[in-house]
Amino acid sequence: MSRAQRSSDPSRMLAERVRARRLRRGLSLHALAVLLAAGADQGALVQRLFRLERAKRPELQLAAEVAHALGIPLAALVAASALDAALYIALDRLTRAQRLRLLLRWRRASSFPKR
């Protein structure tokens, strides 16, 4: 698989972003499993996380739980680019009112779609 193909593969992008975010937080797979595992089998969860980070049978529900545990929106893990991921994270940190004001400003400043 070429680099271009890997970068456009959603499973691969998800795997790379989950791993990068986990490492940025200084967490091992086991430590992330502890954050996620409210009484669940941590050993099995570590194996699921390992498969998720290797793009082997990624689980959307697990990815959503990981995103929540890392304090980022799921969209940031599956975004098409690092810039898009950063934008999703920035938008997620705004209040609903701030997001609405920003959207209105974008619409006024450009030909932003008004769907």
Side-chain angles (χ1 to χ4, degrees), residues 18-95:
V18 166
R19 186 171 197 280
R21 286 282 167 181
R22 175 180 61 78
L23 293 174
R24 186 178 297 164
R25 293 272 309 268
L27 298 171
S28 65
L29 281 172
H30 182 74
L32 181 55
V34 168
L35 280 176
L36 293 169
D41 178 3
Q42 290 177 2
L45 189 50
V46 167
Q47 289 302 311
R48 290 173 59 208
L49 289 166
F50 180 82
R51 286 192 305 268
L52 178 67
E53 287 190 5
R54 301 306 179 276
K56 308 247 189 255
R57 295 184 324 180
E59 302 172 41
L60 187 57
Q61 181 59 40
L62 179 58
E65 292 170 14
V66 167
H68 180 74
L70 296 175
I72 60 173
L74 176 60
L77 295 178
V78 295
S81 70
L83 176 60
D84 290 348
L87 286 169
Y88 291 136
I89 292 168
L91 287 170
D92 188 60
R93 292 183 177 151
L94 298 176
T95 65

